[in-house]
Amino acid sequence: MIIGTAGHIDHGKTSLVRALTGVDTDRLKEEKARGISIDLGFAYMPAPDGSILGFVDVPGHEKFVHNMVAGATGIDFVLLAVAADDGPMLQTFEHLAIVDLLGVKRGVVVLSKADLAARPAREEVGRVIRQVIAGTTLAGAEIIPVSTVSGEGIDALREHLFDAARHADRLSARGRFRLAVDRSFSLAGVGAVVTGTVLSGSVNVDDRVTISPRGIVARVRSIHAQNRVTTTGRSGERCALNLAGEGISKDAAARGDIVLDPSLHAPTDRIDATLRVLACEKKSIGQWTPVRLHHAAAEVGAHLVLLADQPVEPGTEALVQVVLDRPIAAAVGDRYILRHASDMRTIGGGRFLDLRAPARKRRTPVRLGQLAACALEDPAQALAALLARAPYFVDFSAFARDRALADSERETLARELALVQIGASTGVITVSDLVSKRLEQSLLATLAAFHADNPDLPGLAMERLRLELEPRLPAPTFAAHLRGLAQTHVVALDGAWVRLPQHSVKLTPADERAWTRVRPLLAGDCRFRPPRVRDVAGLVSTPEADVRRLMKLAARMGKVDEVAHDHFFLRETVAEMAAIMLDLASAAPNGQFTAAQFRDRLDNGRKVAIQVLEFFDRHGVTLRRGERRRMNKHRLDLFRKPTEADHSSSGRAASPVGRPGFKSGRGREPVSGGFDSHSLPP
Ligand SMILES: Nc1nc2c(ncn2[C@@H]2O[C@H](COP(=O)(O)OP(=O)(O)OP(=O)(O)O)[C@@H](O)[C@H]2O)c(=O)[nH]1
Ligand SMILES: [Mg+2]
């Protein structure tokens, strides 16, 4: 157990610690000369059960409240000293407020210098103290008269502390290791040493740790816990760590740093938090108020962004965003203290709720709902609440890291809440089992409805599908999710199109009728010089735009190819022309043929023949050198004669052209239809 002192200057805190432990914690020359404490003092006292009680003695002077805050962080029990001849004074109130804001729930009031007050005076001071502590975490605490001069009450106080230590409900080694550094120095023959209070978890000799927010990595060479050599330091103990590593000296760390498990190192400078403003403040807290923020042993300048419309009135609590001048190493649930930026007084404090606070949209109803969930202290309750509200997913590893959860706690959470992970490597998110099922159902339902409404379309664009679903997953996560579903054949992916595996493109009945009229115009004798879109439109007395749309559709379905702009050839005609070229090439000794030879075989005029050849050139089927061309054997497959299998295949492109290049990812971009809008395979 760690016991911290608190109280006004000269109210006998240091004398009390000396009377209990025999240690004079005022060691500095200046402290001796001025007879006051300036910095933190540390002492230890063995308990009858073999455990050791640690003491942190703090200064009472108003100038050194920042040191008091550093010392009070992480204590389990407070000794609030109030001189019997003085009664509560300024820093009695301020220290009490700080202890209250830090959430220290256990403590005792020491009516110090009891030898200086007779019984009636003691009773009067006691009455005042009871009023002062009412409504704080120390409400109802025992008041013990003590004199370090006469020795009155010392034994009673010591017994009280031993009793408290026996009942300390230490959460032992819960969480991952974090130690709030209050001193860093170098010992001859030992090297760099940091001391501080272990806030959570435990550390072992040889563990690797990170000095955060600096990000310096070190190895723990040896450990003192509660002033004794040991191999493990635990939450609730004061520890001295001898650190080793490259560049590790006494300057590698300083008061305010946190030495932590390397996986927890993620400094932040924007935190959403609760804020309670002290009732004794005269003014309310407005937007962008500059403050000094104290967290653990760190002190940093900050500004407050209000998350409600009204200023925060004295004596009330509200949600704020603290924007820090520099990043700190914090954890969700940590307490902090705010002091005035220039006057030396404590304004209020609160609890960190979210270390990854957004700079925008920070007070929307959705965001405030999330914050309400974050405010639940129990991680399981907070996570369950987060997963049950928009956006219905969390980054679980960040959640666990920011709450310094140990592996075992993570696993318990994942099991108890039936967490489901979505995505791969980057952008993994976690949803509840319920939401995961809902997501898959709505995904399938959305695709089915889309196919029913649009039988002629290959599928729904990935991005459009993402935007239609609830929860709306981040794009990279959604893409990874779909790839996973495609692997198990729940959906099929054609480039950027998503469809149900059983869906194949069909013409609507009206388009089917139109196609029945148009197709013969492209076939037969004039198949090598089919009418262009405008001519077809004239022949079937249909608006040109409608014919163009029908042709594009037929192209997407593999029925035709757009050889030149608005000039569509039946797919089998294209195959036939490819066969003719092959025939010409194999007849020639050098495998080369001319445009004229090709034109003569097609009998469709020089212009169209050239366009056809250029179409093949574009697709790499023919290789042109000057006036002559030869065939590219590797591309012949693209326009082989279609077989029955091509038409019966389930909605797949009837030709490999335009299929996504597997490794290169080429051809994965969205296309509006037709060969030429696809990128070519490599
Ligand atoms: N008569 C009497 N004097 C005491 C007692 N305890 C402390 N003093 C005196 O009060 C003065 C201040 O005592 P400290 O223990 O230094 O007080 P403190 O609270 O540590 O002071 P800061 O750390 O500077 O805030 C010293 O001169 C002590 O001798 C007591 O029980 N009786
Ligand atoms: Mg002192």
Side-chain angles (χ1 to χ4, degrees):
M1 187 167 83
I2 302 173
I3 299 155
T5 61
H8 194 68
I9 185 167
D10 258 0
H11 276 197
K13 300 178 290 296
T14 305
S15 306
L16 207 54
V17 171
R18 189 174 47 215
L20 289 167
T21 67
V23 177
D24 181 5
T25 56
D26 281 351
R27 290 156 186 264
L28 301 177
K29 225 188 253 164
E30 196 186 347
E31 289 178 324
K32 293 262 183 254
R34 294 170 65 181
I36 61 165
S37 303
I38 292 173
D39 206 349
L40 301 175
F42 305 100
Y44 297 91
M45 174 168 76
D49 64 0
S51 68
I52 293 182
L53 307 190
F55 287 84
V56 179
D57 182 40
V58 307
H61 196 292
E62 60 170 345
K63 266 199 178 153
F64 307 125
V65 175
H66 59 279
N67 286 339
M68 182 273 170
V69 179
T73 295
I75 62 172
D76 306 286
F77 192 96
V78 62
L79 285 181
L80 178 64
V82 183
D85 57 336
D86 249 0
M89 305 282 283
L90 265 184
Q91 267 63 49
T92 312
F93 293 103
E94 189 168 15
H95 285 197
L96 177 63
I98 289 168
V99 165
D100 185 41
L101 288 167
L102 291 179
V104 181
K105 292 195 177 63
R106 307 170 67 225
V108 62
V109 180
V110 174
L111 196 60
S112 57
K113 305 193 186 181
D115 54 295
L116 298 183
R119 179 175 278 262
R122 289 187 188 186
E123 278 173 6
E124 173 55 17
V125 174
R127 203 182 51 76
V128 176
I129 291 173
R130 266 186 287 278
Q131 276 179 2
V132 169
I133 60 177
T136 73
T137 48
L138 290 190
E142 204 172 317
I143 301 176
I144 305 178
V146 173
S147 168
T148 58
V149 171
S150 70
E152 179 193 349
I154 294 287
D155 288 341
L157 176 62
R158 194 181 280 119
E159 280 313 313
H160 188 97
L161 295 178
F162 289 154
D163 194 49
R166 270 193 296 279
H167 295 102
D169 56 341
R170 255 294 140 198
L171 301 167
S172 65
R174 206 171 115 166
R176 269 184 209 268
F177 177 65
R178 298 199 301 141
L179 174 143
V181 177
D182 45 42
R183 283 179 304 165
S184 176
F185 49 87
S186 175
L187 277 185
V190 174
V193 175
V194 296
T195 70
T197 301
V198 182
L199 301 175
S200 61
S202 60
V203 66
N204 293 304
V205 168
D206 276 341
D207 277 358
R208 287 174 71 76
V209 290
T210 298
I211 301 165
S212 195
R214 298 166 191 244
I216 299 173
V217 179
R219 183 177 66 84
V220 178
R221 197 189 275 148
S222 63
I223 302 174
H224 277 64
Q226 302 289 74
N227 219 23
R228 276 200 289 213
V229 177
T230 176
T231 52
T232 306
R234 290 186 181 79
S235 171
E237 293 181 325
R238 280 198 54 78
C239 282
L241 306 181
N242 174 206
L243 298 181
E246 212 176 306
I248 298 293
S249 68
K250 71 175 174 26
D251 298 324
R255 176 174 293 178
D257 288 337
I258 307 271
V259 173
L260 40 68
D261 182 300
S263 69
L264 297 185
H265 173 62
T268 173
D269 57 6
R270 188 182 292 276
I271 304 173
D272 282 351
T274 64
L275 167 65
R276 177 150 56 87
V277 178
L278 296 181
C280 58
E281 272 297 291
K282 299 214 165 46
K283 284 204 273 180
S284 57
I285 301 284
Q287 199 62 268
W288 206 242
T289 301
V291 289
R292 301 295 298 170
L293 181 136
H294 296 253
H295 165 255
E299 178 186 347
V300 52
H303 286 84
L304 297 179
V305 176
L306 306 183
L307 297 182
D309 293 328
Q310 319 299 335
V312 193
E313 298 298 332
T316 67
E317 186 166 319
L319 292 175
V320 294
Q321 183 167 99
V322 291
V323 182
L324 303 163
D325 293 351
R326 63 168 176 82
I328 59 170
V332 169
D334 281 357
R335 306 285 181 137
Y336 70 95
I337 299 292
L338 289 188
R339 303 199 78 222
H340 196 271
S342 49
D343 297 357
M344 285 186 302
R345 63 167 209 276
T346 301
I347 301 171
R351 201 158 54 89
F352 291 154
L353 300 184
D354 188 350
L355 307 184
R356 316 294 150 192
R360 287 156 195 279
K361 297 191 178 170
R362 49 193 166 193
R363 32 185 286 177
T364 61
V366 168
R367 176 61 193 161
L368 294 178
Q370 285 177 322
L371 273 183
C374 290
L376 297 169
E377 282 186 54
D378 175 44
Q381 285 183 9
L383 186 55
L386 280 171
L387 292 174
R389 61 171 61 248
Y392 299 100
F393 61 82
V394 296
D395 178 344
F396 182 51
S397 53
F399 178 91
R401 178 199 61 207
D402 286 350
R403 283 171 196 256
L405 299 186
D407 283 343
S408 57
E409 294 167 307
R410 286 177 63 134
E411 283 156 21
T412 308
L413 268 187
R415 196 175 52 245
E416 283 177 357
L417 297 181
L419 302 181
V420 178
Q421 285 205 346
I422 295 184
S425 60
T426 52
V428 174
I429 55 140
T430 295
V431 297
S432 69
D433 192 34
L434 197 75
V435 167
S436 146
K437 292 202 175 89
R438 206 171 70 202
L439 177 70
E440 181 158 338
Q441 275 164 11
S442 63
L443 186 139
L444 296 180
T446 305
L447 284 178
F450 184 80
H451 291 326
D453 290 347
N454 306 278
D456 54 332
L457 291 180
L460 194 48
M462 196 183 278
E463 181 61 7
R464 224 184 106 189
L465 179 60
R466 182 179 80 89
L467 297 178
E468 283 195 15
L469 297 182
E470 182 85 280
R472 184 176 292 179
L473 302 183
T477 308
F478 188 58
H481 181 51
L482 285 181
R483 282 196 293 276
L485 291 179
Q487 258 162 27
T488 52
H489 307 292
V490 177
V491 300
L493 297 179
D494 289 328
W497 307 108
V498 190
R499 61 175 170 83
L500 292 173
Q502 65 273 18
H503 172 73
S504 59
V505 181
K506 278 194 209 72
L507 293 178
T508 60
D511 284 339
E512 190 65 58
R513 277 195 299 278
W515 176 245
T516 320
R517 290 171 64 206
V518 167
R519 194 185 182 287
L521 304 176
L522 309 179
D525 286 348
C526 68
R527 65 188 185 282
F528 295 130
R529 45 187 147 72
R532 288 159 203 274
V533 166
R534 178 190 294 181
D535 304 326
V536 173
L539 289 168
V540 296
S541 323
T542 307
E544 199 178 315
D546 289 357
V547 172
R548 188 172 293 113
R549 188 188 61 81
L550 181 69
M551 289 299 206
K552 296 266 187 202
L553 210 57
R556 207 150 58 211
M557 294 174 70
K559 293 178 188 297
V560 293
D561 289 320
E562 188 167 12
V563 166
H565 176 65
D566 265 1
H567 204 182
F568 293 84
F569 285 57
L570 286 175
R571 170 57 65 95
E572 51 262 43
T573 308
V574 174
E576 197 181 340
M577 294 188 296
I580 289 172
M581 291 190 307
L582 194 62
D583 192 40
L584 284 172
S586 44
N590 57 3
Q592 294 183 343
F593 62 95
T594 63
Q597 288 174 306
F598 186 58
R599 178 205 55 208
D600 291 346
R601 288 283 294 267
L602 300 186
D603 189 22
N604 60 356
R606 179 171 166 78
K607 185 168 173 233
V608 175
I610 294 283
Q611 278 178 342
V612 170
L613 287 172
E614 281 171 355
F615 166 79
F616 283 122
D617 290 345
R618 275 201 301 283
H619 289 286
V621 176
T622 44
L623 299 169
R624 180 179 169 191
R625 177 171 288 177
E627 287 310 303
R628 313 187 74 80
R629 285 179 169 82
R630 59 186 178 79
M631 302 301 289
N632 179 2
K633 284 202 190 78
H634 305 294
R635 293 299 172 95
L636 267 180
D637 248 13
L638 298 185
F639 297 101
R640 81 204 137 83
K641 248 195 155 43
T643 63
E644 266 311 296
D646 288 328
H647 291 299
S648 62
S649 68
S650 56
R652 236 164 257 164
S655 142
V657 173
R659 284 241 195 108
F662 220 51
K663 284 188 180 148
S664 67
R666 288 234 271 162
R668 283 199 167 272
E669 55 271 44
V671 291
S672 55
F675 267 129
D676 293 340
S677 52
H678 287 259
S679 65
L680 293 172

